[in-house]
Amino acid sequence: MTQRLPPSLTPLDTALAALLRGVDPVAPVKVPLAEAIGCIAAGDPLLAAHPSRDIAAVDGWALSANDLVGASAYSPVPLTTAPAWVEAGDAMPAGCDCVLDADAVEMSGPLAQVLAEGAPGQGVRRAGSDIAARMAVGAAGHPVGAADLLLARVAGVEKLAVRRPRLRIVNVPGGTVTAQMIAGIAHTAGLDVETRQARARDEASIADALDASSCDVVLTIGGSGVGRQDAAIAALARRGEVMAHGLALQPGRTAAVGRLGRVPVIALPGSPDHALAVWLALVLPLVERLSAHRPRRKVSLPLARKIASSVGLTEIALLAEEHRAWMPLAVGEWPLQAVARADAWLLISASDEGFAAGTPIDADLMPA
């Protein structure tokens, strides 16, 4: 039996509310540093101060700045004892608070004289200056970045606590390119991704692949439309619950949301542009809820030209930054070349008719 869309499309807000109902953040897990990049930090572990004491930041002579007042090439300051030579990373000798370059000290046998002044802290890395005591690796609720991993490695940490939702992608034959795109975006977003392949496009084959065990969210790719070989929604209804099919969203009209037991399910269209739109409008908010993600950063720029939109339908516009303004590339229908050029996206509410040129727009950055 061919799938059909309902007579009236479900508003995006209604579908999203149904999808998020009862969804809580997943518990933090410890992962090796190599797996932590992009995952959402859970604010652990708390690090010890680094360096643990003052160390030399450069190679040179370790001295006390108070002993060098007035020193210059024309008025050298003699030292009663030979200064200590330190290499970058060495602990500073007791009583020393600066490091001078090699040519700032003149040695003549056992006698030494200084030819330049020094300031307290010059050439020195203070205790706790790189890592403050009890500092967390990564801000809780934000993605772990390369700089966070640098701090962890310097501190000798081997694992980080992150929230990493487990995503299972069920690929319906014919949607492989789209499934690969979504899996790549999900990996970059720090999700634990598993991809399964339905044996065929029929309802029974897709239903057999719908397994919500050991995962936090399920995505199906392809088969959500009304074609004669589309059966993803019927398969979801067989195994679980379809909460909404046919959304007032463009691109992404044939998407659906449902559940397998308590696990949320989103059926994405097989077309790459429609699937990406549904990822931005529905999957991303769900993933952010599961990972306790803080509000994502938006970039505000004026519109380079007007955007027209249809009332009653939520549309997503693709934007490119040009001359410190947002240039609309596509609204509602997305050529793939527009997807490739886009720097940001804008969700246009169903109640909006669009925006005039020059209007400040807070846009979300496109996934990496």
Side-chain angles (χ1 to χ4, degrees), residues 209-231:
L210 288 176
D211 177 11
S213 61
S214 303
C215 69
D216 302 299
V217 57
V218 174
L219 302 183
T220 63
I221 308 292
S224 68
V226 295
R228 292 180 178 179
Q229 292 185 318
D230 288 337

Side-chain angles (χ1 to χ4, degrees), residues 10-24:
T10 302
L12 176 65
D13 290 348
T14 302
L16 182 58
L19 186 67
L20 297 179
R21 190 174 299 120
V23 174
D24 296 315

Side-chain angles (χ1 to χ4, degrees), residues 36-344:
I37 192 78
C39 295
I40 304 305
D44 183 61
L46 301 180
L47 305 178
H50 185 87
S52 58
R53 56 177 297 180
D54 291 356
I55 63 172
V58 296
D59 305 332
W61 301 103
L63 295 158
S64 171
N66 285 339
D67 297 338
L68 312 178
V69 177
S72 70
Y74 301 102
S75 179
V77 171
L79 300 176
T80 57
T81 58
W85 177 266
V86 291
E87 305 281 345
D90 288 346
M92 289 293 291
C96 296
D97 61 3
C98 65
V99 178
L100 299 190
D101 292 339
D103 57 4
V105 175
E106 187 177 81
M107 301 292 295
S108 180
L111 302 178
Q113 54 184 4
V114 184
L115 311 179
E117 289 186 309
Q122 177 181 333
V124 176
R125 196 177 294 275
R126 296 294 195 184
S129 60
D130 282 334
I131 302 174
R134 298 189 60 75
M135 176 181 177
V137 180
H142 292 277
V144 175
D148 299 314
L149 297 186
L150 171 64
L151 294 180
R153 291 186 174 107
V154 167
V157 172
E158 296 182 352
K159 292 187 176 182
L160 295 183
V162 298
R163 298 186 194 272
R164 186 169 66 166
R166 300 163 299 173
L167 170 65
R168 180 165 295 147
I169 296 175
V170 176
N171 181 37
V172 176
T176 300
V177 170
T178 300
Q180 290 172 341
M181 176 192 72
I182 294 298
I185 293 172
H187 276 297
T188 302
L191 278 68
D192 184 359
V193 182
E194 176 197 1
T195 300
R196 293 186 176 183
Q197 180 76 29
R199 296 189 312 274
R201 293 182 61 88
D202 62 274
E203 178 183 331
S205 297
I206 299 172
D208 286 345
L210 288 176
D211 177 11
S213 61
S214 303
C215 69
D216 302 299
V217 57
V218 174
L219 302 183
T220 63
I221 308 292
S224 68
V226 295
R228 292 180 178 179
Q229 292 185 318
D230 288 337
I233 311 307
L236 176 57
R238 175 188 287 201
R239 291 294 302 271
E241 173 191 5
V242 177
M243 298 185 293
H245 177 217
L247 309 182
L249 173 69
Q250 191 63 21
R253 185 172 65 101
T254 64
V257 298
R259 273 190 165 74
L260 291 172
R262 295 179 57 86
V263 175
V265 181
I266 305 175
L268 277 63
S271 174
D273 54 326
H274 286 248
L276 178 57
V278 176
W279 173 277
L280 299 175
L282 284 173
V283 184
L284 192 56
L286 174 61
V287 168
E288 290 177 342
R289 173 71 64 85
L290 288 167
S291 58
H293 194 296
R294 297 291 178 86
R296 54 185 178 270
R297 184 172 69 91
K298 295 179 181 286
V299 177
S300 182
L301 293 173
L303 271 180
R305 67 169 185 242
K306 74 173 184 179
I307 291 178
S309 180
S310 302
V311 174
L313 189 67
T314 298
E315 294 187 284
I316 305 180
L318 296 179
L319 310 171
E321 182 180 348
E322 294 184 7
H323 310 296
R324 297 300 300 159
W326 288 130
M327 175 62 70
L329 299 177
V331 181
E333 295 293 339
W334 295 358
L336 292 185
Q337 60 184 358
V339 175
R341 287 184 54 202
D343 298 310

